[in-house]
Amino acid sequence: MTWRGENFGVALKALASGIEPGRPALLHGDRVIDWQAFDRITDGIAAGLIARGLKPGDAAGQMQRNSPEYVLAYFGCAKAGVRPVNVNYHYLANELGDIFTRFDLKALFVDPEFAERAQAADAQGLAHVLVADPDAAAWQELCRTPLPEGYAPHPDPDEMFYMATGGTTGMPKAVMWPFAEAWQAFQIAHWPTQLGQPPEIVYTLEDHVERAAALPPDHAESSAPMLLLCPLMHGTGQFGAMIHLLRGGTLATLPGTKFDPDAAIDAVVKHRARTLVMVGDAFSMPLADCLEARADAAEAIASLKAMTSSGAVFSLSVKERLVAVNPMMAIVDTLGSSESGGTAVTITTIAGTTGGGHFSQFPGRDIVLLSDDLELIPPGSGAVGMVARTGPLPLGYLGEDRKNAETFPVVGGQRYLITGDRAHWREDGSLAFIGRDNMCINTGGEKVFPEEVEAALQAHGDVADVRVVGIPDPRFGRKIAAVVLLREGCETGDAALDAHVRAALASYKVPRLYVFTQESLRLNNGKPDYRTAQRLAEEAAA
């Protein structure tokens, strides 16, 4: 029988048994939790959930910032067969009540600062609010709950975790990921080798543990420690962290409530981090600015072998600034989503960027292009279509039958995931990714993808950040508007930016309106804030 992967709780216990005593699993400031303590504490949390009446298939929310407690609660849930689900800690009480009810939460792990707001939410069925304060007696008692007789981590690899995703439309939805499907989709048993070489794939849990045990953090081939800059409550952070830990790695997180690039660089030095995980320009631009201002920049990040990003635009110009500081480092930029994991990738080194800077389909992914009528688009046609891929896949969205039918259609007897990306085939058989389908702007019958125009503008040295939106136009229906945040001290105007874009893109993609702002064009999680950009553009056009 082919090995499909494990329930993450089962894998954790096996890894902790096979890894040498004392190897760090979780780092947070001066706190260190080794792999054996990681296993012991998550056993206690699992036992605590069981003692409170939670059973396999129940769901528990996590309204927490990055911390060891987030990871401990997640794996404690997995060991109990309880389904962990991320809850955005920016939500207010009425939004939380909706989430708690629709996701049918039975328990909620919450940081102390959010406890009052969570308890004010109106939600039936939420019986247990567990405050994840490592200094509090109640949390310490939960982590030391005696194990019931015959205890073992829940063994079912088809039990699930939920990944809550808001996207750009509708209310947040819970993506239902069976552990075994995620194990395969995230390619957890595909051990990276040298850059550009195929991975080493293992086919049993025993071999997987043996491979992890052979790669302590001080091993030359290790990617640990991994320093996570982006939130665990979002897919990029959570998926990256879980993949790393399920290979026996060491995960470092930053104390604090806001991203501080200086603190991030200092943490690289402190932990001698090998890998940095972030979300596009929101993290990389201030990081590049900070490095260029530090006399110790090259020495500070000399330990880094890779920076990885997903979930937002990561401008090539910023990548080039970062690899100039550490020419031995690779930057891995992945196109993915909460529903798909990685779909496409581009890698940047001091020597250049794969695919000429264009995304190429992720290795091992069976990807096709579909027309709007769900017909296969063959390579060589030149037509733009919807990117779709086959399994391993999540089961769909919790309680969203109509959305599931749209996003996971069956074509020719095969179930696909429509990723939400648009692309066309290149002559070499690879895919040229254009942009997100739900962000596409129709202007006079021409389709314009904001990401493409943003990338062109971002390449201008005076542009710090930019959002591209569509605003009403009596002739074309919608016209392209660019909302621009310039770098400090820069006074570039419409004409210079217009000339810059016209040199790179077709004329119908060129913005007809430029709006300059000092407001942030990012949400608190680092993702693009199109609502603010839309408001600013419409106000300027009025």
Side-chain angles (χ1 to χ4, degrees):
M1 185 175 179
T2 303
W3 184 50
R4 299 169 51 235
E6 301 290 342
N7 181 300
F8 289 0
V10 170
L12 167 57
K13 182 161 286 294
L15 287 163
S17 299
I19 285 171
E20 76 281 0
R23 179 189 296 188
L26 305 174
L27 305 173
H28 189 73
D30 292 328
R31 293 178 64 193
V32 180
I33 297 175
D34 68 27
W35 267 89
Q36 288 69 40
F38 187 16
D39 181 43
R40 183 177 64 254
I41 295 169
T42 50
D43 277 344
I45 293 173
L49 293 173
I50 294 167
R52 286 163 174 77
L54 276 78
K55 58 186 184 301
D58 286 342
Q62 293 190 254
M63 191 174 172
Q64 301 169 269
R65 296 190 188 275
N66 286 10
S67 67
E69 282 63 47
Y70 191 112
V71 180
L72 295 169
Y74 182 98
F75 279 96
C77 287
K79 285 184 171 184
V82 171
R83 299 170 181 178
V85 56
N86 53 308
V87 175
N88 191 317
Y89 47 72
H90 297 294
Y91 288 156
L92 302 181
N94 63 319
E95 297 169 301
L96 292 172
D98 170 73
I99 291 290
F100 297 167
T101 300
R102 287 195 297 112
F103 294 177
D104 194 22
L105 299 190
K106 304 301 183 187
L108 177 72
F109 293 92
V110 61
D111 284 351
E113 64 181 299
F114 309 128
E116 183 177 350
R117 195 185 335 147
Q119 290 166 336
D122 182 16
Q124 296 181 350
L126 180 60
H128 305 283
V129 176
L130 306 170
V131 180
D133 181 353
D135 297 322
W139 178 257
Q140 294 170 3
E141 289 172 9
L142 173 67
C143 294
R144 294 195 298 264
T145 303
L147 305 187
E149 186 176 353
Y151 167 82
H154 188 69
D156 187 2
D158 290 319
E159 191 45 85
M160 291 183 276
F161 66 90
Y162 295 157
M163 186 70 226
T165 178
T168 56
T169 59
M171 296 298 292
K173 298 173 283 292
V175 182
M176 301 181 290
W177 272 107
F179 287 113
E181 293 293 308
W183 190 281
Q184 297 170 71
F186 302 166
Q187 300 182 341
I188 292 170
H190 292 217
W191 289 82
T193 54
Q194 294 184 355
L195 190 66
Q197 298 300 312
E200 177 187 333
I201 304 174
V202 297
Y203 298 97
T204 67
L205 179 59
E206 293 73 20
D207 288 345
H208 188 75
V209 171
E210 182 178 344
R211 187 79 169 83
L215 282 177
D218 59 357
H219 193 286
E221 294 181 14
S222 174
S223 62
M226 170 187 280
L227 178 60
L228 184 69
L229 303 185
C230 49
L232 279 161
M233 71 166 175
H234 290 295
T236 298
Q238 188 176 123
F239 292 175
M242 299 312 160
I243 293 167
H244 184 73
L245 287 169
L246 290 167
R247 291 176 180 156
T250 300
L251 177 70
T253 50
L254 293 175
T257 61
K258 293 185 179 298
F259 174 58
D260 180 341
D262 258 318
I265 296 167
D266 290 343
V268 172
V269 176
K270 178 183 180 69
H271 302 306
R272 294 200 54 77
R274 302 276 190 89
T275 309
L276 204 64
V277 180
M278 56 190 170
V279 177
D281 287 341
F283 291 85
S284 64
M285 290 172 62
L287 198 65
D289 290 342
C290 189
L291 284 167
E292 289 170 350
R294 287 178 61 141
D296 67 340
E299 180 183 359
I301 66 167
S303 64
L304 285 177
K305 296 166 65 175
M307 290 184 179
T308 68
S309 172
S310 185
V313 171
F314 193 167
S315 302
L316 179 58
S317 59
V318 182
K319 296 175 185 177
E320 291 170 343
R321 293 168 63 195
L322 291 168
V323 296
V325 179
N326 179 355
M328 303 304 293
M329 177 177 68
I331 295 179
V332 181
D333 188 5
T334 302
L335 195 65
S337 67
S338 300
E339 297 87 347
S340 68
T343 301
V345 65
T346 183
I347 299 174
T348 301
T349 67
I350 197 66
T353 301
T354 57
H358 300 290
F359 283 96
S360 300
Q361 51 263 53
F362 207 79
R365 292 283 188 259
D366 186 6
I367 295 178
V368 301
L369 284 186
L370 298 175
S371 70
D372 291 346
D373 297 326
L374 300 183
E375 298 289 336
L376 286 171
I377 297 176
S381 72
V384 173
M386 302 183 293
V387 177
R389 77 167 183 84
T390 56
L393 295 171
L395 297 184
Y397 303 110
L398 177 68
E400 300 278 352
D401 293 343
R402 183 186 63 81
K403 188 65 177 176
N404 286 335
E406 295 172 355
T407 308
F408 299 92
V410 176
V411 180
Q414 177 68 58
R415 184 172 181 258
Y416 285 94
L417 163 68
I418 305 294
T419 69
D421 301 298
R422 289 273 175 170
H424 64 82
W425 293 107
R426 295 196 193 97
E427 291 183 0
D428 64 3
S430 63
L431 285 173
F433 288 82
I434 299 173
R436 295 290 292 173
D437 199 30
N438 56 14
M439 298 302 296
C440 183
I441 302 166
N442 190 316
T443 176
E446 297 282 5
K447 291 185 176 180
V448 177
F449 291 89
E451 297 97 324
E452 186 178 19
V453 186
E454 289 169 359
L457 282 163
Q458 197 76 65
H460 192 288
D462 292 349
V463 174
D465 207 358
V466 60
R467 299 279 79 76
V468 170
V469 297
I471 58 175
D473 182 82
R475 179 181 177 189
F476 296 108
R478 310 289 287 179
K479 66 180 179 182
I480 308 302
V483 183
V484 181
L485 174 65
L486 293 175
R487 293 188 182 279
E488 187 174 353
C490 294
E491 298 180 355
T492 301
D494 301 26
L497 293 181
D498 191 74
H500 177 78
V501 177
R502 287 184 184 279
L505 300 176
S507 60
Y508 70 86
K509 300 178 184 179
V510 175
R512 269 42 180 182
L513 174 69
Y514 291 89
V515 180
F516 295 91
T517 183
Q518 293 301 311
E519 290 191 42
S520 171
L521 297 174
R522 298 278 172 176
L523 299 169
N524 289 326
N525 59 21
K527 292 191 175 184
D529 185 356
Y530 284 100
R531 286 186 180 180
T532 293
Q534 190 75 46
R535 173 179 58 79
L536 292 171
E538 290 178 358
E539 289 174 354

